[in-house]
Amino acid sequence: MLTQAVIKDLTAIVGSKNIITNQAGLAAYGYDATLMSQRPVGIVFPRSTEDASALVKYANRAGLVMVPRGAGTNLSGGSLPVENSLVICVSRMTRILEIDPKNFTATVEVGLVNFDLQEELEKHGYYYPPDPASYKASTLGGNIAECSGGPRCFKYGVTRDYILGLEVVLPSGKVIEVGGKNFKSEFRYDLTRLLVGSEGTLGLVTKAILRILPKPFAKRTMLAIYNKVEDASLTVADIVAAGIIPTTLEMMDNLLINTADEHVKLGLPRDAGALLIIEVDGYEVDLDNQVRLIEELCNKADVRSFKVATSQAEADQLWLARRTVIGSVGRRRPSYSLQDVTIPRSTFPQMVDAILACSRRYDLPIGILAHAGDGNFHPLVLFDERDADEVVRVHKAEVDLIRDALALGGTMSGEHGIGVLKKEYLDLEFTDVAIEAFRKVKRSFDPTAMLNRGKIVDIAAEG
Amino acid sequence: MLTQAVIKDLTAIVGSKNIITNQAGLAAYGYDATLMSQRPVGIVFPRSTEDASALVKYANRAGLVMVPRGAGTNLSGGSLPVENSLVICVSRMTRILEIDPKNFTATVEVGLVNFDLQEELEKHGYYYPPDPASYKASTLGGNIAECSGGPRCFKYGVTRDYILGLEVVLPSGKVIEVGGKNFKSEFRYDLTRLLVGSEGTLGLVTKAILRILPKPFAKRTMLAIYNKVEDASLTVADIVAAGIIPTTLEMMDNLLINTADEHVKLGLPRDAGALLIIEVDGYEVDLDNQVRLIEELCNKADVRSFKVATSQAEADQLWLARRTVIGSVGRRRPSYSLQDVTIPRSTFPQMVDAILACSRRYDLPIGILAHAGDGNFHPLVLFDERDADEVVRVHKAEVDLIRDALALGGTMSGEHGIGVLKKEYLDLEFTDVAIEAFRKVKRSFDPTAMLNRGKIVDIAAEG
């Protein structure tokens, strides 16, 4: 608990409207989307970089561990409070400082929600490619901390590819600017990209210069439905082998088709083995050719039905199933464990097989959701957390899925981060020497681990 | 000088064919493309990562500072030996370990020359986008150390966008692998991108997993010739404002048109103010439209002549002037200072004006060469190094150009690095806090600065 004196000092920095210390508030900010929980001792909302810097300096003096937070949609516990921690929540720093179409940049405060930026850019004929499933809620600060991906990143790349510069409050409270408006902005050393994906453990990002792109002239959204998941998986391999790079190439299996359709009632065929949502964008004249080629490849893999959305409304309908699917699995089992394993995309069919085998091995329903073009799988392991035996099996399944992905040359986490959830598995993927290099980086920025302590790696100075 | 005992030990690691200690050899490896010089005490050529690791461990024990080197085409002194240093030259590690078209990757030893990779990829219908002007000579290791750009990077991005994973000998001699075959390969912390552009100061890279792309279906190369440099600069601004992203958009001014044409005799009009080489690629069906639109914009800016190459041979001719221009300026003055200032591209015309003003201010011929789409200028300041007064003015002109670029929101170096040449200017661009953050990164990897000492930043433990 914070003393009255500390509350008074913090209030002096951010004002009384921007601090929460009551029990209901502490509970509300005590979890993220991993559904683990730990109450913080307080939540403060900086209104500016100056506020954030003052807060970090004060917390250092007061010996308060700080946990940066955006919208709390994190899936690996990265924004989860730790014991006796002060949450610094950027969600009230939401200004768009500049949209500069000539340089393809937007400069924003990082509490801005991804979707709100997209809406504003739309007016200028631009967009910001990274589109995590959480984009209607998640902040750009959170996207930066996690290096978020999303369906479009098969063609367009991940958050790191769209961050040109950052303003950052270092763990000391000092402020630095790194990068700039040009993608060649001096970067020796490349702190911009070191900070992207560092889960708020190296600095508290307050502003970002984002790379934006002109909206594509045209796009086509396709839905392909298969009797068997293996057929869908063959199409994925064939599209990749043909050298086609769709904007998105998303897969959902039978289990998820059913839960999604129960949830949003789109009339999807409940007996289908899998579906693919495929989108291509570019110049109008190209798209018909691409659609034709993709349809041929779908037919080659015994697609049951193939259709192209004829309007934006119809395309949005196709996306609705995908965008809401994670929430829909609650209809089957009360709990789920969402994985993030990612493999070289040529091994896509092998990873599908590995997930099916894992489901059988532990007698657990596993829904297969995948950014298929990226080889990024989000297997949803469904269970009941009140069933102790099942929880043990879920844990074993998680480890197996990670080991399977690593055996295929993949990684345990494509876009959700390490946080606290996957920290224990780090040594499955990295050697001691590599993990020690991570620790050295952490120590060089934050030797006493005051900022987001215990996330990604632990360092000796902690605790 | 190395003692016989040290020479014997080093020879035991790499074999007698892979060590140079004679004076002629030391002289040959005593410079890079900056034309500064400093003899090393020896040069060793690792044949493998194991060799490199053993060399680094040995050099640490023997107290020898190490300078990593590729082909020595560096333009900022990054591969220049320092006093009493051992050059570790990767140029004999040239194997292509794998080309994996399905995953769009190539795995190589980093002594491989960029062009040799391109030739091999060509056979598979693929290419590696980063194409620095030095690509026929420079190694991928050097490209990685400098985060090289090149003409194509306006559309395709720089080296960091094409490095998926690295094998690295740390300054301790320990080896780590970072990244992997998937662009979402786990990267917390993102050591892959921290190492790219770190100029060999954090680790000695031995292998890299590169992202490769299918060759574009078609391309068009255009040559636009202008009476005035300001007109060319207007076209650049207009193309950017129209949201067109050509593959390349290169500019040369009157001075460089003349030296290039004297050199390669292409029949370029000697009285032209500037020329633009513009290339677009993509699907055949799009290109005519793009060419038409670009021609309209050129006409709007009073282009004198506009032509589209009708064959690859003709396109290659157009490129010949650009590819050889830097060497050609020796016809005018014995020395040149090649700058690398980069500005937000919307300010392109202002930077052209600033360069013209700088040329007048110091009475120095300055050739304007630019990756115009990127806003990356390579002004060539021509002088005679035997003229002490001129050398003083060149130095002043360099500082002015950097200040001009920074005033426009730019950077001192877009793709050539800091090395030793621009270290003294670092504080013009960065605050003390930012430079101290760079030092912390360096110290966390290499606390006693054994690897490429004195490049980018100095740290206290040195010397």
Side-chain angles (χ1 to χ4, degrees):
Chain A
M1 264 202 23
L2 295 178
T3 64
Q4 285 308 313
V6 171
I7 293 174
K8 197 177 150 203
D9 291 339
L10 291 171
T11 305
I13 297 171
V14 292
S16 59
K17 287 183 184 165
N18 293 310
I19 178 166
I20 294 176
T21 55
N22 62 56
Q23 287 306 315
L26 300 182
Y29 286 84
Y31 61 88
D32 65 13
T34 46
L35 305 180
M36 298 162 75
S37 77
Q38 170 71 51
R39 289 191 185 196
V41 293
I43 306 106
V44 284
F45 300 87
R47 297 158 300 181
S48 64
T49 303
E50 294 66 36
D51 275 6
S53 167
L55 287 169
V56 171
K57 284 178 182 166
Y58 180 83
N60 271 304
R61 285 199 302 276
L64 286 167
V65 175
M66 296 159 272
V67 180
R69 185 183 178 95
T73 57
N74 190 286
L75 288 161
S76 60
S79 52
L80 198 72
V82 294
E83 235 173 300
N84 292 313
S85 61
L86 178 70
V87 168
I88 302 184
C89 187
V90 296
S91 65
R92 296 182 186 174
M93 290 180 62
T94 60
R95 285 184 303 157
I96 296 176
L97 302 168
E98 184 192 49
I99 292 176
D100 179 353
K102 283 194 180 171
N103 288 307
F104 291 5
T105 62
T107 305
V108 303
E109 291 181 339
V110 300
L112 183 68
V113 169
N114 183 309
F115 183 76
D116 294 341
L117 172 67
Q118 307 287 4
E119 286 219 307
E120 192 57 33
L121 291 176
E122 175 91 28
K123 297 176 193 166
H124 299 260
Y126 280 72
Y127 77 116
Y128 170 71
D131 60 342
S134 62
Y135 80 130
K136 287 203 173 173
S138 62
T139 63
L140 290 159
N143 295 172
I144 290 166
E146 299 303 318
C147 189
S148 298
R152 277 199 289 249
C153 74
F154 179 34
K155 178 165 180 179
Y156 287 102
V158 293
T159 296
R160 105 179 134 241
D161 301 310
Y162 293 89
I163 305 300
L164 298 175
L166 295 172
E167 183 177 81
V168 187
V169 181
L170 295 173
S172 62
K174 290 177 182 169
V175 177
I176 61 171
E177 290 180 23
V178 291
K181 271 197 177 182
N182 194 298
F183 69 94
K184 286 178 166 177
S185 288
E186 187 48 64
F187 54 85
R188 293 151 212 263
Y189 298 107
D190 195 346
L191 303 189
T192 307
R193 280 156 207 92
L194 182 61
L195 283 154
V196 172
S198 68
E199 306 190 14
T201 63
L202 304 181
L204 178 73
V205 175
T206 52
K207 288 179 195 162
I209 304 175
L210 312 175
R211 182 176 156 224
I212 59 176
L213 294 181
K215 287 194 70 180
F217 295 98
K219 67 178 176 181
R220 296 274 193 289
T221 308
M222 292 154 265
L223 177 67
I225 293 174
Y226 297 83
N227 291 322
K228 292 188 297 181
V229 67
E230 290 83 356
D231 295 340
S233 151
L234 179 62
T235 296
V236 170
D238 283 345
I239 288 177
V240 165
I244 303 172
I245 307 182
T247 319
T248 61
L249 184 49
E250 297 282 305
M251 188 172 93
M252 287 165 52
D253 73 351
N254 172 273
L255 172 60
L256 298 181
I257 288 172
N258 276 273
T259 59
D261 201 57
E262 285 162 24
H263 189 56
V264 292
K265 309 207 165 27
L266 293 167
L268 295 171
R270 300 295 179 90
D271 61 335
L275 64 77
L276 292 177
I277 302 175
I278 311 167
E279 206 162 85
V280 291
D281 67 16
Y283 293 97
E284 185 68 43
V285 284
D286 301 331
L287 296 185
D288 290 337
N289 283 335
Q290 290 188 47
V291 167
R292 197 155 37 234
L293 184 51
I294 289 169
E295 185 171 8
E296 273 170 30
L297 296 173
C298 290
N299 285 333
K300 187 186 145 204
D302 290 328
V303 73
R304 178 202 288 195
S305 77
F306 177 88
K307 79 170 174 182
V308 185
T310 53
S311 66
Q312 185 56 46
E314 200 179 329
D316 290 345
Q317 279 289 93
L318 299 184
W319 276 108
L320 188 60
R322 170 62 187 86
R323 290 260 178 222
T324 57
V325 66
I326 293 180
S328 76
V329 298
R331 293 167 171 262
R332 287 302 156 89
R333 304 299 302 276
S335 321
Y336 64 81
S337 158
L338 176 64
Q339 301 305 304
D340 185 29
V341 288
T342 304
I343 44 78
R345 59 186 169 222
S346 65
T347 62
F348 190 87
Q350 289 98 298
M351 191 68 216
V352 169
D353 291 345
I355 296 169
L356 296 173
C358 182
S359 170
R360 287 190 299 268
R361 189 178 319 130
Y362 296 109
D363 190 23
L364 289 167
I366 304 184
I368 305 180
L369 179 67
H371 304 307
D374 310 341
N376 188 177
F377 284 83
H378 294 317
L380 283 146
V381 186
L382 309 189
F383 66 106
D384 185 337
E385 63 188 333
R386 294 160 301 190
D387 180 336
D389 174 65
E390 217 169 52
V391 170
V392 171
R393 281 183 284 133
V394 168
H395 191 78
K396 285 182 180 170
E398 287 169 356
V399 177
D400 281 12
L401 291 171
I402 290 173
R403 287 187 190 278
D404 289 335
L406 295 177
L408 292 170
T411 174
M412 78 178 91
S413 172
E415 56 185 21
H416 293 172
I418 298 300
V420 288
L421 210 60
K422 276 170 265 178
K423 202 169 58 169
E424 62 178 305
Y425 306 134
L426 213 56
D427 65 349
L428 295 179
E429 184 160 349
F430 295 101
T431 61
D432 290 349
V433 183
I435 293 170
E436 186 50 33
F438 295 160
R439 288 206 178 94
K440 281 180 182 167
V441 169
K442 169 67 176 174
R443 277 190 217 111
S444 72
F445 277 77
D446 187 14
T448 54
M450 294 302 287
L451 201 62
N452 223 6
R453 178 175 291 177
K455 312 298 168 69
I456 306 181
V457 287
D458 293 311
I459 59 173
E462 292 179 35
Chain B
M1 267 207 15
L2 297 178
T3 64
Q4 286 307 314
V6 170
I7 293 174
K8 196 178 152 203
D9 291 339
L10 291 171
T11 305
I13 297 170
V14 292
S16 57
K17 288 183 186 166
N18 293 309
I19 178 166
I20 294 177
T21 54
N22 62 56
Q23 288 304 317
L26 299 182
Y29 286 84
Y31 61 89
D32 65 11
T34 46
L35 305 181
M36 299 162 76
S37 77
Q38 169 72 51
R39 290 192 183 195
V41 293
I43 304 107
V44 284
F45 301 87
R47 297 158 300 181
S48 63
T49 303
E50 293 65 37
D51 275 6
S53 167
L55 287 169
V56 172
K57 285 178 181 166
Y58 181 82
N60 271 303
R61 284 199 303 275
L64 286 168
V65 175
M66 296 159 271
V67 180
R69 184 183 178 95
T73 56
N74 190 286
L75 288 161
S76 61
S79 52
L80 199 72
V82 294
E83 234 172 301
N84 292 313
S85 60
L86 178 70
V87 168
I88 302 183
C89 187
V90 296
S91 64
R92 296 182 186 174
M93 290 180 62
T94 59
R95 285 184 303 158
I96 296 176
L97 303 168
E98 183 192 49
I99 292 176
D100 179 353
K102 284 194 181 171
N103 288 307
F104 292 4
T105 62
T107 305
V108 303
E109 291 181 338
V110 299
L112 183 67
V113 169
N114 184 310
F115 182 76
D116 294 341
L117 172 67
Q118 305 288 4
E119 286 219 307
E120 192 59 32
L121 291 176
E122 174 91 29
K123 297 176 192 164
H124 298 260
Y126 281 73
Y127 77 117
Y128 170 71
D131 59 342
S134 62
Y135 80 130
K136 287 202 171 172
S138 63
T139 63
L140 291 159
N143 296 172
I144 290 166
E146 299 303 317
C147 189
S148 299
R152 278 199 289 251
C153 73
F154 179 35
K155 178 165 179 179
Y156 287 102
V158 293
T159 297
R160 95 174 145 248
D161 302 309
Y162 293 89
I163 305 301
L164 298 176
L166 296 172
E167 183 177 81
V168 188
V169 181
L170 294 174
S172 62
K174 290 178 182 169
V175 177
I176 62 171
E177 289 180 24
V178 290
K181 271 196 178 183
N182 194 298
F183 69 95
K184 287 179 165 177
S185 289
E186 188 48 64
F187 53 86
R188 300 165 203 252
Y189 298 107
D190 194 346
L191 303 189
T192 307
R193 279 156 208 91
L194 181 62
L195 283 154
V196 173
S198 69
E199 306 190 13
T201 63
L202 304 181
L204 178 72
V205 175
T206 52
K207 288 179 195 163
I209 304 174
L210 312 175
R211 182 177 157 224
I212 59 176
L213 293 182
K215 286 195 71 180
F217 295 99
K219 67 179 175 181
R220 295 273 194 287
T221 307
M222 291 154 266
L223 177 67
I225 293 174
Y226 296 84
N227 291 322
K228 292 187 298 180
V229 67
E230 290 83 355
D231 294 341
S233 146
L234 179 63
T235 296
V236 170
D238 283 346
I239 288 177
V240 165
I244 303 173
I245 307 182
T247 319
T248 62
L249 183 49
E250 296 283 305
M251 187 171 93
M252 287 164 52
D253 73 352
N254 172 273
L255 173 60
L256 299 181
I257 288 172
N258 277 274
T259 59
D261 201 56
E262 286 161 24
H263 189 57
V264 292
K265 308 207 166 26
L266 293 167
L268 296 171
R270 300 294 179 90
D271 61 334
L275 64 76
L276 292 177
I277 302 175
I278 310 167
E279 206 162 86
V280 290
D281 67 17
Y283 292 98
E284 186 67 44
V285 284
D286 300 331
L287 296 185
D288 291 337
N289 283 334
Q290 289 188 49
V291 168
R292 196 155 38 233
L293 183 51
I294 289 169
E295 185 172 9
E296 274 170 30
L297 296 173
C298 291
N299 285 333
K300 188 185 144 204
D302 289 328
V303 72
R304 179 202 287 193
S305 77
F306 178 88
K307 80 170 176 184
V308 185
T310 52
S311 65
Q312 185 56 44
E314 201 180 329
D316 289 345
Q317 280 289 94
L318 299 184
W319 275 108
L320 189 59
R322 170 62 188 87
R323 290 260 178 222
T324 58
V325 66
I326 293 180
S328 76
V329 298
R331 293 167 172 264
R332 287 301 157 88
R333 304 299 302 276
S335 320
Y336 65 81
S337 158
L338 176 65
Q339 302 304 305
D340 185 29
V341 289
T342 305
I343 43 78
R345 59 185 169 222
S346 65
T347 63
F348 190 86
Q350 289 99 297
M351 192 67 216
V352 169
D353 292 345
I355 296 169
L356 296 174
C358 183
S359 170
R360 288 189 298 268
R361 190 178 317 130
Y362 295 109
D363 189 24
L364 289 167
I366 304 184
I368 305 180
L369 179 68
H371 304 306
D374 310 341
N376 188 176
F377 283 84
H378 294 317
L380 281 146
V381 187
L382 309 190
F383 67 107
D384 185 337
E385 64 190 330
R386 293 161 302 188
D387 180 337
D389 174 65
E390 217 170 52
V391 169
V392 170
R393 282 182 285 132
V394 168
H395 192 78
K396 286 183 180 171
E398 288 169 356
V399 177
D400 281 12
L401 290 172
I402 290 172
R403 287 188 191 277
D404 289 335
L406 295 176
L408 292 169
T411 173
M412 77 178 93
S413 174
E415 55 186 22
H416 293 172
I418 299 299
V420 288
L421 209 59
K422 277 171 264 177
K423 201 170 58 169
E424 61 178 306
Y425 305 134
L426 212 57
D427 65 349
L428 296 179
E429 183 160 347
F430 295 101
T431 62
D432 290 349
V433 182
I435 294 171
E436 186 50 34
F438 295 160
R439 288 206 178 94
K440 282 181 182 166
V441 169
K442 169 68 176 173
R443 277 190 217 110
S444 72
F445 277 78
D446 187 14
T448 54
M450 294 303 286
L451 201 61
N452 223 5
R453 178 175 293 178
K455 313 297 169 69
I456 306 182
V457 287
D458 293 311
I459 60 173
E462 292 180 33

